[in-house]
């Protein structure tokens, strides 16, 4: 076909429905058609105005609307990547070449507006993350050499004493050395109510083992002091606080792709070249069907717009970023899209026992006196002896007396520890022995009284650690102790079932009877006891091979098991370096109650990702055949950019997620 013929086709199309002139402009030309006889031959006011005046105007619109898109497209082409921006530039350029300046400018205008709105929406999710870094104050009041100084937080050193007055944000991680107050830790741990804080008993000992300081003494940068005043000894530099590490890890999480995101990226790399080939093929359809070349090329440009997978490209990252931001605001650190998405797909969770389902300390739960002695007298005698021991079971009895009786006048003397069996002492001249059955059995011929032996057996079958008490020659009682479940454990298990977790189990190094007792009390499906660390890893590996499993532990001795689980979840991670490093997901508070929130958010994120994929692929599936059969660039652009915005807005709903 000659150049003149092609030019004639272009002029014909320009003067037709795709001139880019509005109906109002065309009506105006009808009104001024009377001037036609006075113009030189070949001069058409409609053609001149639309192709020259409006053409140059829309050309400016093409340039300014597509400037940044052009730069981005050429940068990607330079790196041998043909992506969405390239498709948009080709489509807009093709429309302009055909004389459809308005549609080309409209395409780039909406594409640019769409990009701007996408960036704004994504910025909202990122701002929710960056807001974390602004929680800590910029300066702090420090006591040095007897003077109070106001210094930048970055200049604080370990061992400094910072002064926090009422309603101020804490500037550093540390422990309380003076004062008492309630501290709102929600920005860090997600706890819904303020936590009471009081001074440590020994600041020197606390400084030497800062990671072992109990939660009632420990505070975090970014939390908010209540009505009292506190003096806090700094245990971490500003760059190493829990808040700083959370911000760093959440920012890093943006770059870790989920399985769906990896799939869509691979799909896009294949799909875009296919779209280009389809458009080229469509551009030559005038060789097969009876239509002008310009119509075939116009249809090819429309196909480029219709098939551009903009919504698909943004569908997963927008949802993942919003989910991670919402989790961080709720006291849950999720290290990337992979664990966020995987947790939402799992229906099995394994729990460690000690420190996870239980409080991690034994408590006196059962007191059985024999003879004429009462329960209060039995534990008072036992506490008078055990106060001299630092064994966890002994300390549990002492705490029980303090809670039930306050103080006791009984004083024990001549205390002795009998390794592996128990203890003995004298109270009012009488020998008191407290310990296991072996303490009272000298040889194979000895036996406990029948009622004592029966009670010990019965308690042991329910997971109790038993301690037999004998005063003088008389057995006066049996004490049952156990590491009790957390108050929230049963409710957490019920909530997890309600959101779709169908199998929950315990993995413990404790004996099977204890594990069974705890599992029954909190409502687990099964318990595996008597497991060494290697056994836990093997058990988790077996469970992971059958559909995947999440492992919840304290992040220290459970690290190997968590690492081998589909998703490792550490609780009580605030202030714990090991927990933050080893887990895929970290529950910042030492509280199981945030676990259903994390699982529910993950499931919502997975659901929104699926919705976004259906929306984005569905629109492409509708638009491609529609443009092949005549749908214009304008309507295709509106539907294309509209679907992209719908996908982003849908993802932003995660920022307002609330646990049901």
């Amino acid at each position: 076909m000659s150049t003149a013929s092609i030019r004639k086709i272009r002029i014909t199309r320009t003067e037709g429905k795709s001139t880019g002139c509005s109906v109002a402009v065309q009506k105006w030309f009808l009104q001024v058609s009377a001037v036609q006889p006075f113009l030189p031959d070949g001069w058409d006011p409609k053609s001149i105005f639309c192709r020259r005046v409006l053409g140059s105007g829309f050309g400016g619109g093409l340039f300014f609307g597509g400037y940044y898109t052009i730069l981005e497209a050429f940068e990607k082409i330079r790196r041998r990547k043909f992506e969405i921006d390239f498709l948009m530039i080709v489509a807009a350029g093709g429309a302009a070449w055909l004389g459809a300046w308005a549609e080309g400018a409209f395409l780039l205008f909406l594409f640019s507006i769409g990009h701007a709105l996408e960036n704004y929406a994504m910025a909202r999710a990122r701002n929710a993350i960056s807001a974390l870094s602004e929680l800590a104050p910029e300066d702090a009041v420090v006591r040095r050499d007897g003077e109070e100084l106001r210094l930048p937080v970055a200049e604080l050193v370990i061992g400094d004493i910072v002064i926090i007055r009422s309603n101020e944000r804490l500037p550093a991680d540390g422990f309380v050395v003076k004062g008492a107050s309630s501290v709102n830790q929600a920005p860090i741990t997600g706890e819904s109510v303020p936590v009471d804080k009081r001074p440590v008993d020994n600041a020197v000992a606390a400084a030497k083992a800062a990671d072992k300081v109990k939660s009632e003494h420990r505070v975090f940068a970014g939390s908010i002091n209540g009505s009292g005043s506190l003096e806090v000894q700094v245990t971490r530099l500003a760059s190493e606080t829990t808040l700083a590490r959370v911000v760093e890890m959440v920012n890093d999480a943006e770059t870790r792709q989920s399985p769906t995101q990896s799939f869509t990226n691979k799909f896009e790399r294949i799909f875009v070249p296919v779209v280009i080939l389809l458009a080229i093929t469509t551009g030559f359809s005038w060789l097969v069907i009876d239509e002008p070349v310009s119509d075939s090329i116009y249809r090819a440009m429309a196909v480029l717009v219709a098939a551009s997978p903009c919504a698909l490209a943004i569908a997963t990252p927008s949802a993942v970023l919003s989910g991670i931001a919402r989790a961080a605001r709720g006291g849950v650190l999720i290290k990337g899209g992979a664990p966020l998405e995987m947790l939402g797909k799992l229906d099995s969770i394994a729990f460690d026992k000690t420190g996870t389902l239980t409080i991690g300390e034994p408590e006196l739960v059962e007191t059985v006196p024999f003879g004429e002695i009462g329960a209060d007298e039995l534990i008072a005698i036992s506490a008078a002896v055990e106060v001299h021991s630092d064994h966890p079971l002994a300390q549990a009895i002492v705490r029980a007396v303090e809670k039930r009786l306050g103080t006791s006048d009984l004083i024990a003397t001549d205390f002795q520890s009998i390794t592996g069996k128990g203890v003995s002492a004298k109270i009012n001249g009488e020998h008191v022995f407290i310990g296991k059955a072996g303490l009272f059995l000298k040889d194979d011929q000895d036996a406990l009284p029948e009622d004592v032996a029966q009670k010990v057996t019965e308690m042991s079958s329910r997971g109790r650690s038993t301690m037999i008490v004998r005063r003088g020659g008389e057995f006066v009682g049996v004490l049952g102790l156990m590491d009790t479940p957390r108050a929230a454990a049963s409710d957490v298990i019920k909530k997890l079932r309600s959101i779709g977790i169908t199998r929950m189990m315990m993995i413990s190094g404790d004996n099977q009877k204890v594990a069974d007792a705890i599992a029954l009390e909190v409502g687990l499906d099964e318990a595996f006891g008597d497991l060494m660390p290697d056994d836990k890893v093997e058990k988790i590996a077996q469970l992971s091979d059958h559909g995947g499993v999440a492992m919840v532990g304290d992040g220290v001795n459970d690290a190997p098991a968590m690492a081998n689980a589909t998703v490792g979840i550490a609780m009580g991670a605030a202030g714990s370096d090991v927990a933050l490093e080893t887990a895929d997901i970290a529950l910042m508070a030492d509280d199981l109650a945030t676990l259903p929130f994390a699982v529910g958010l993950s499931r919502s994120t997975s659901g929104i990702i699926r919705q976004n994929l259906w929306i984005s692929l569905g629109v492409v599936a509708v638009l491609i055949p529609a443009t092949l059969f005549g749908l214009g660039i304008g309507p295709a652009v509106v539907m294309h950019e509209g679907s992209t915005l719908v996908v982003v807005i849908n993802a932003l709903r995660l920022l307002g997620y609330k646990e049901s």
Side-chain angles (χ1 to χ4, degrees):
M1 182 175 290
S2 66
T3 303
S5 299
I6 293 176
R7 183 174 180 277
K8 183 178 180 181
I9 291 171
R10 291 182 58 197
I11 292 174
T12 300
R13 179 156 186 88
T14 301
E15 294 177 344
K17 62 180 180 180
S18 298
T19 59
C21 296
S22 67
V23 174
V25 171
Q26 295 187 39
K27 286 182 179 179
W28 179 78
F29 277 120
L30 290 176
Q31 294 173 4
V32 299
S33 59
V35 303
Q36 180 70 41
F38 303 100
L39 295 175
D41 291 341
W43 279 56
D44 177 6
K46 180 179 175 182
S47 177
I48 293 169
F49 186 85
C50 290
R51 288 195 290 117
R52 301 290 178 87
V53 181
L54 290 183
S56 61
F58 285 126
L62 280 167
F63 174 77
F64 290 109
Y67 178 74
Y68 291 104
T69 306
I70 292 170
L71 291 181
E72 189 170 349
F74 277 106
E75 176 60 26
K76 290 178 179 177
I77 292 171
R78 190 177 64 82
R79 288 182 284 157
R80 298 180 182 179
K81 291 183 178 180
F82 293 90
E83 296 184 359
I84 297 164
D85 301 279
F86 174 75
L87 299 184
M88 292 295 106
I89 291 298
V90 171
W97 182 72
L98 292 173
W101 294 92
E103 290 177 297
F106 183 57
L107 164 59
L108 288 184
F109 172 74
L110 277 190
F111 187 66
S112 298
I113 290 294
H115 262 318
L117 291 176
E118 287 171 28
N119 290 335
Y120 170 76
M122 294 292 280
R124 282 194 59 190
R126 290 193 176 93
N127 287 342
I129 294 173
S130 62
L132 293 172
S133 61
E134 299 172 3
L135 291 175
E138 295 182 356
D139 50 32
V141 177
V142 186
R143 179 177 291 116
R144 288 182 180 174
D145 300 325
E147 296 184 8
E148 291 186 9
L149 308 172
R150 184 168 289 276
L151 300 174
V153 170
E155 295 183 13
L156 295 179
V157 297
I158 295 174
D160 270 342
I161 303 297
V162 295
I163 301 170
I164 302 100
R165 296 181 173 84
S166 61
N167 301 317
E168 290 184 345
R169 288 191 180 273
L170 277 75
D173 284 10
F175 55 82
V176 179
V177 294
K178 186 177 181 181
S181 183
S182 293
V183 176
N184 179 2
Q185 297 184 155
I188 309 301
T189 65
E191 291 168 288
S192 58
V193 296
V195 181
D196 291 336
K197 303 293 180 180
R198 59 185 179 84
V200 295
D201 296 327
N202 187 330
V204 175
K208 291 180 179 178
D211 289 343
K212 297 181 180 179
V213 174
K214 292 185 177 180
S215 59
E216 60 262 33
H217 310 302
R218 182 183 291 184
V219 294
F220 306 104
S223 51
I224 306 166
N225 187 26
S227 58
S229 294
L230 298 174
E231 293 188 13
V232 173
Q233 184 166 326
V234 176
T235 57
R236 292 186 177 182
L237 301 176
S239 60
E240 299 173 351
T241 63
T242 301
L243 176 62
R245 300 194 67 198
V246 168
V247 172
E248 179 185 357
M249 288 182 175
V250 172
N251 284 327
D252 289 345
E254 290 187 53
T255 62
R256 298 171 184 167
Q257 295 185 345
S258 71
T260 303
Q261 191 172 349
S262 298
F263 166 76
T264 54
N265 288 344
K266 292 177 182 177
F267 177 81
E268 186 182 335
R269 285 196 292 270
I270 298 171
F271 185 67
V272 170
V274 170
V275 169
I276 295 173
L277 290 175
L278 176 62
I280 293 172
T281 303
T282 305
F284 285 97
S285 58
W286 58 272
L287 296 173
V288 179
I289 60 177
D290 184 17
E291 69 175 4
V293 174
S294 58
D295 284 358
S296 295
I297 296 175
Y298 180 83
R299 187 182 292 109
M301 299 304 103
V303 168
L304 282 179
V305 175
S308 297
C310 289
L312 182 65
I314 201 71
T316 304
S318 58
V320 167
L321 185 60
S322 298
I324 290 173
R326 178 64 185 95
R329 206 168 70 230
V332 178
L333 173 60
I334 300 179
K335 298 182 181 178
L340 175 64
E341 193 173 341
M342 290 303 299
L343 181 61
K345 297 177 180 178
L346 297 177
D347 57 11
S348 298
I349 297 180
F351 295 87
D352 172 52
K353 181 183 78 70
T354 306
T356 301
L357 285 173
T358 64
I359 60 176
E361 292 182 343
E363 287 192 0
L364 180 63
V365 295
E366 198 167 348
T367 304
V368 181
F370 294 116
E372 297 180 359
I373 192 172
D376 287 348
E377 185 180 357
L378 173 61
I379 63 171
I381 292 171
S382 302
V385 176
E386 297 288 13
V387 73
H388 299 285
S389 172
D390 58 1
H391 192 281
L393 295 179
Q395 294 303 307
I397 294 173
V398 174
R399 288 195 302 271
V401 169
E402 291 174 350
K403 289 179 182 178
R404 291 172 60 169
L405 305 179
T407 59
S408 174
D409 296 331
L410 295 177
I411 298 175
T413 59
D414 299 334
F415 174 82
Q416 288 186 342
S417 175
I418 305 168
T419 305
K421 294 183 178 181
V423 295
S424 70
K426 283 185 179 181
I427 298 178
N428 297 329
E430 287 188 295
H431 273 100
V432 176
F433 292 86
I434 305 174
K436 300 177 181 179
L439 177 64
F440 307 99
L441 303 177
K442 302 299 182 182
D443 53 53
D444 294 339
Q445 303 301 316
D446 290 339
L448 292 172
E450 184 177 348
D451 55 348
V452 174
Q454 184 178 355
K455 181 54 65 175
V456 168
T457 301
E458 188 264 332
M459 281 187 178
S460 297
S461 67
R462 289 185 284 112
R464 272 61 167 159
S465 296
T466 57
M467 299 175 68
I468 303 169
V469 183
R470 189 179 74 184
R471 182 175 59 181
E474 179 186 5
F475 287 93
V476 294
V478 179
L479 306 177
L481 300 95
M482 70 181 301
D483 185 6
T484 56
R486 292 176 180 267
S490 295
D491 288 339
V492 167
I493 300 302
K494 290 177 183 177
K495 286 182 179 179
L496 290 172
R497 290 195 190 283
S498 69
I499 59 179
I501 303 298
T502 57
R503 186 186 183 196
M504 285 175 279
M505 66 215 80
M506 179 196 298
I507 296 179
S508 176
D510 215 330
N511 71 70
Q512 187 65 50
K513 288 182 179 179
V514 172
D516 288 337
I518 297 293
L520 180 64
E521 189 168 349
V522 301
L524 296 179
D525 298 302
E526 54 191 320
F528 303 99
D530 299 311
L531 299 178
M532 299 298 288
D534 290 346
D535 299 326
K536 289 185 179 182
V537 172
E538 185 177 347
K539 177 61 69 175
I540 286 294
Q542 293 173 1
L543 295 170
S544 297
D545 290 339
H546 294 82
V549 65
M551 170 69 188
V552 185
D554 62 12
V556 183
N557 57 351
D558 300 309
M562 287 194 296
N564 282 273
T566 310
V567 178
I569 304 173
M571 61 176 294
S576 171
D577 291 340
V578 176
L580 286 174
E581 293 295 339
T582 58
D584 299 309
I585 298 175
L587 310 181
M588 302 305 291
D590 187 22
D591 184 3
L592 268 177
T594 51
L595 181 58
F597 164 76
V599 175
L601 176 62
S602 298
R603 286 179 175 263
S604 291
T605 303
S606 296
I608 283 180
I609 288 174
R610 287 194 296 271
Q611 293 169 14
N612 283 353
L613 292 179
W614 279 111
I615 292 170
S616 54
L617 292 174
V619 168
V620 170
V622 169
L623 281 181
I624 289 178
T627 51
L628 287 173
F629 286 99
L631 183 70
I633 290 178
V637 171
V638 171
M639 291 185 66
H640 175 273
E641 293 302 322
S643 67
T644 302
L645 293 181
V646 167
V647 160
V648 173
I649 292 169
N650 191 38
L652 287 179
R653 291 194 298 121
L654 288 167
L655 291 176
Y657 172 82
K658 292 182 180 179
E659 185 182 350
S660 59

